Amino acid sequence: GDVFMLLGIAYLYSVTNTLNFREILFNEHTLHMLADTPSMIQGLSAGGLIGLLLFIGAVGKSAQWPLHVWLPDAMEGPTPVSAMIHAATMVSAGVYMVVRFFPLVTIGWHEGGALTPTMTVVAFIGAFTALFAATIAVAQNDVKRVLAYSTISQLGYMMAAIGIGAYVAAAFHLITHAFFKALLFLGSGSVIHGMEHGVHKTKKHIDPQDMMNMGGLRKKMPVTFWTFLIGGLALSGFPILTAGFWSKDEILADAFANGRMAVFVVLALAALLTAFYTMRQITLTFLGKPRTKAAENAHESVWTMTVPLIVLAVFAVGAGWAGIPEHFPVIGGLIPNWLHDFVAGSLLEHPHPVDFNIIPLLVSVGVALGGLT
């Protein structure tokens, strides 16, 4: 990924004689020159090829297919480190980078028109990754690996949004995802900590991260349970109340409104699977009866671990309210839509798509199937 990104940087410098963002992205003459200059690949402009090469760097950084295999292995580190990697720093950097050079990815594209070859590749990689990783998450029993593949899937959502031109929605989902994914990872760390106490007390060695060894932790770890549930609902896009609903629905709405039906259908299936594996994880971990002696002897984590969960749970609910479309019934306009104004004002003007609230149906079906399974 880094090799291709370096090629893109070198190519960009050879054509423009600069690597300054403002001199390239805010210079109409430079953008026209990049769009009109043919590349060594027939049918692809220099700007399009540069955008594609830089995007491949983001594929490696943000663990998109086919460079996704390293991310689950990174779960071997401490859980707080996992939370930082998945929520706020490492894997988010690739998506942020593609949002930052959005004009290069979409060079030669007119809003509402056919996607450029570069945008098509970005949209395909993102949508496929969102669905592909979600199917893998369904089959995981390690409480952290479920979340690892979930991260890959959600990053795919963001990439797909950029590919269809919905960069505001991509940036919005990047921000809301940081809160509820950090919450879920720290919540899983709290669960593992409680299970390790049970393992130590029973002196019977079992894997404290295997959800098949858990069950019944809702009563043993109530704060962890309720905050984890809030994070899970936000990840699934539970309607109205959670941050994940507003950002994820915006991506689906843009795909539907602009006729990107292939992307829309794939992302809708990924949303359904997200609700499914999230409820499966919550059910196996917290509900029912303890399936091992270690689970019976688990206990709630100390306040230094639970207080951050509570703080993040607040943002997992409220962070999305700043992106409510002004024309949304009843609650639209109550909270200023600062995110759209800030992101759109910093690059290009891009209106909100119409609202197409398919997520409540997907969440309902996914939660029902996950709980039953």
Side-chain angles (χ1 to χ4, degrees), residues 291-312:
R291 290 185 290 278
T292 60
K293 291 292 183 181
E296 290 180 1
N297 288 278
H299 68 82
E300 184 61 272
S301 300
V302 295
W303 70 269
T304 51
M305 295 176 71
T306 56
V307 169
L309 299 180
I310 296 171
V311 173
L312 286 169

Side-chain angles (χ1 to χ4, degrees), residues 21 24 46 49 88 107 128 137 151 154 157 165 185 235 250 254 269 272 296 331 345 358-359:
F21 272 105
I24 297 171
L49 181 55
I107 202 160
F128 180 79
T151 297
Q154 297 307 304
Y157 255 93
F185 265 108
L235 171 62
E250 177 116 1
D254 196 290
L269 288 174
L272 175 66
E296 290 180 1
I331 57 177
I358 190 175
I359 284 187

Side-chain angles (χ1 to χ4, degrees), residues 114-190:
L115 300 181
T116 66
T118 300
M119 293 176 71
T120 302
V121 172
V122 175
F124 170 79
I125 294 292
F128 180 79
T129 301
L131 181 59
F132 170 75
T135 61
I136 300 177
V138 169
Q140 299 300 311
N141 291 330
D142 187 301
V143 68
K144 287 177 68 177
R145 290 181 80 88
V146 173
L147 300 176
Y149 283 107
S150 171
T151 297
I152 298 174
S153 179
Q154 297 307 304
L155 293 171
Y157 255 93
M158 302 168 204
M159 290 297 192
I162 296 169
I164 61 174
Y167 70 94
V168 174
F172 188 22
H173 196 48
L174 179 67
I175 293 170
T176 60
H177 176 262
F179 292 113
F180 57 74
K181 189 52 63 72
L183 169 59
L184 288 169
F185 265 108
L186 291 179
S188 70
S190 179

Side-chain angles (χ1 to χ4, degrees), residues 239-241 245-246 321 324-336:
I240 309 299
L241 295 178
F245 165 76
W246 296 106
W321 296 350
I324 299 176
E326 294 179 2
H327 57 272
F328 195 87
V330 182
I331 57 177
L334 293 179
I335 301 176

Side-chain angles (χ1 to χ4, degrees), residues 41-312:
I41 299 178
Q42 187 175 2
L44 202 60
S45 67
L49 181 55
I50 291 167
L52 192 58
L53 291 170
L54 294 175
F55 167 71
I56 296 174
V59 169
K61 177 64 74 176
S62 289
Q64 299 295 283
W65 178 87
L67 304 180
H68 64 283
V69 292
W70 64 268
L71 188 57
D73 295 332
M75 296 302 94
E76 301 300 326
T79 305
V81 176
S82 302
M84 287 298 295
I85 288 175
H86 286 257
T89 55
M90 189 171 178
V91 294
S92 302
V95 174
Y96 175 78
M97 182 181 71
V98 182
V99 172
R100 191 70 178 84
F101 61 70
F102 176 79
L104 273 181
V105 176
T106 58
I107 202 160
W109 174 66
H110 301 285
E111 190 172 343
L115 300 181
T116 66
T118 300
M119 293 176 71
T120 302
V121 172
V122 175
F124 170 79
I125 294 292
F128 180 79
T129 301
L131 181 59
F132 170 75
T135 61
I136 300 177
V138 169
Q140 299 300 311
N141 291 330
D142 187 301
V143 68
K144 287 177 68 177
R145 290 181 80 88
V146 173
L147 300 176
Y149 283 107
S150 171
T151 297
I152 298 174
S153 179
Q154 297 307 304
L155 293 171
Y157 255 93
M158 302 168 204
M159 290 297 192
I162 296 169
I164 61 174
Y167 70 94
V168 174
F172 188 22
H173 196 48
L174 179 67
I175 293 170
T176 60
H177 176 262
F179 292 113
F180 57 74
K181 189 52 63 72
L183 169 59
L184 288 169
F185 265 108
L186 291 179
S188 70
S190 179
V191 168
I192 295 167
H193 181 71
M195 284 292 295
E196 285 176 340
H197 177 270
V199 171
H200 180 73
K201 194 169 184 178
T202 58
K203 300 189 185 311
K204 185 177 181 181
H205 179 71
I206 61 169
D207 185 358
Q209 295 185 202
D210 191 339
M211 295 187 295
M212 294 303 174
N213 295 328
M214 301 178 190
L217 297 182
R218 177 176 63 88
K219 296 179 180 178
K220 302 286 185 180
M221 310 178 72
V223 177
T224 301
F225 165 68
W226 286 109
T227 53
F228 198 98
L229 178 64
I230 290 171
L233 292 175
L235 171 62
S236 302
F238 189 81
I240 309 299
L241 295 178
T242 64
F245 165 76
W246 296 106
S247 56
K248 191 179 289 189
D249 192 66
E250 177 116 1
I251 296 173
L252 287 170
D254 196 290
F256 182 82
N258 292 301
R260 320 296 183 194
M261 295 311 296
V263 173
F264 173 78
V265 170
V266 172
L267 293 184
L269 288 174
L272 175 66
L273 287 176
T274 301
F276 174 85
Y277 67 67
T278 303
M279 184 50 61
R280 173 182 177 268
Q281 182 180 36
I282 292 171
T283 304
L284 287 175
T285 304
F286 295 102
L287 305 183
K289 297 180 179 180
R291 290 185 290 278
T292 60
K293 291 292 183 181
E296 290 180 1
N297 288 278
H299 68 82
E300 184 61 272
S301 300
V302 295
W303 70 269
T304 51
M305 295 176 71
T306 56
V307 169
L309 299 180
I310 296 171
V311 173
L312 286 169

